[in-house]
Amino acid sequence: MNHSLSVERLLPILLWIAGGTVVVFLIAPIIAIVPLSFNVEPFFTYPMPGLSLRWYEEFFSSEVWQLALKNSIIVAVCTTLVSTSLGTLAAIGLSRPECPFRATLTAILISPMIVPVIVSAVGIYYAFAAVGLLNSLTGLVLAHTAIGAPFVVITVTATLASFDHNLMRAASSLGATPLEAVLRIMLPIIAPGVVSGALFAFVTSFDEVVIALFIAGSEERTLPRQMWSGVRETLSPTIAAVATLLILFSTLFLATIQWLHRRAERQKLMH
């Protein structure tokens, strides 16, 4: 009996140790870049001779980096709006019991998540070249929408799995139009899934580099593409500063997703 109790007490400790080791192994390369963004010397070396904020100042004062940041924000925001609208409508349609070929349509809609990005980039390049959408932010928004909308479809579809469609029938029996029922009944309930999908679409667009290399020109450079060019041409600690800011942004993003997930779980318990 005592041996059994000791094993039960030891097992959670071992699991915590194993989990902590895996976490450290995964995040150590990411954390290692953060101190280098404060290096006073323009080298990626340890130990550092001193600390400085000069690389952050260079990022915020450089016209090239600020143009890349501006383009990334514009493209990501527009992509999020279009992806969220199209993805939510698609998920609502797929959630209806009478939807024909649901499995086939779902597979087609989420296929951009499965197809290698380089394959999608080449296909988008030739398609956009034929209609004159290369070297434009519009083309980049449309391309990123194609890879961002599947995330919205998946998250909203998962939220709709627990949605009670009898609420829509009740709203219809009380005189509400289908649009009013969706806007006033369905959307408030599935809002956490919609927002989660929108965040995924935003981050997917903001961090994407392969398609941007094919579609964007010199004036449409996004932040990831500028970082790629910086690594190839002039390796500067400014890249480490940008990477550190992106790490902070990603951490905030994950915290928001976790909060939305907990809120959705609370809503399920309430209903």
Side-chain angles (χ1 to χ4, degrees):
M1 180 66 70
N2 292 334
H3 177 71
S4 176
L5 289 176
S6 62
V7 172
E8 291 180 358
R9 292 176 181 177
L10 185 61
L11 184 58
I13 297 176
L14 293 176
L15 290 176
W16 273 101
I17 294 175
T21 303
V22 172
V23 170
V24 170
F25 177 78
L26 292 176
I27 69 173
I30 300 175
I31 300 300
I33 199 67
V34 174
L36 293 175
S37 66
F38 298 98
N39 194 0
V40 70
E41 297 291 341
F43 306 108
F44 291 99
T45 57
Y46 284 109
M48 299 184 299
L51 300 178
S52 174
L53 293 174
R54 59 180 292 194
W55 309 115
Y56 290 91
E57 294 176 0
E58 180 174 328
F59 168 69
F60 287 107
S61 61
S62 171
E63 293 183 2
V64 175
W65 283 105
Q66 289 305 298
L67 176 62
L69 177 61
K70 176 183 176 182
N71 288 338
S72 287
I73 293 175
I74 292 174
V75 171
V77 169
C78 293
T79 298
T80 300
L81 294 175
V82 179
S83 297
T84 304
S85 300
L86 297 179
T88 301
L89 291 175
I92 292 174
L94 292 173
S95 68
R96 297 179 65 85
E98 64 272 16
C99 177
F101 309 108
R102 182 186 307 172
T104 303
L105 292 174
T106 302
I108 293 174
L109 288 173
I110 67 174
S111 60
M113 298 177 61
I114 304 172
V115 177
V117 179
I118 185 65
V119 175
S120 300
V122 173
I124 291 172
Y125 173 81
Y126 283 108
F128 284 9
V131 295
L133 286 175
L134 295 180
N135 301 331
S136 67
L137 293 181
T138 301
L140 199 54
V141 169
L142 294 177
H144 284 183
T145 298
I147 64 174
F151 290 96
V152 181
V153 172
I154 290 176
T155 56
V156 176
T157 300
T159 306
L160 285 169
S162 60
F163 178 75
D164 187 2
H165 288 275
N166 290 324
L167 296 175
M168 302 296 289
R169 299 187 184 95
S172 178
S173 66
L174 294 174
T177 63
L179 180 60
E180 289 176 338
V182 169
L183 294 178
R184 303 180 66 176
I185 304 298
M186 180 179 287
L187 283 183
I189 295 176
I190 66 172
V194 175
V195 176
S196 296
L199 289 174
F200 275 114
F202 182 90
V203 173
T204 300
S205 173
F206 197 83
D207 290 343
E208 201 284 320
V209 63
V210 178
I211 293 177
L213 289 172
F214 280 82
I215 303 299
S218 58
E219 294 299 321
E220 294 81 29
R221 286 192 176 191
T222 59
L223 201 57
R225 175 170 173 173
Q226 182 60 34
M227 294 176 68
W228 172 268
S229 300
V231 171
R232 294 186 59 191
E233 299 168 4
T234 56
L235 193 58
S236 168
T238 306
I239 299 174
V242 178
T244 301
L245 294 175
L246 291 179
I247 291 172
L248 293 175
F249 170 75
S250 300
T251 303
L252 178 62
F253 161 76
L254 291 175
T256 304
I257 291 294
Q258 186 65 24
W259 177 77
L260 290 172
H261 176 72
R262 292 180 178 177
R263 180 183 176 187
E265 291 296 329
R266 287 198 299 268
Q267 286 187 348
K268 288 182 181 179
L269 294 176
M270 292 175 60
H271 291 284

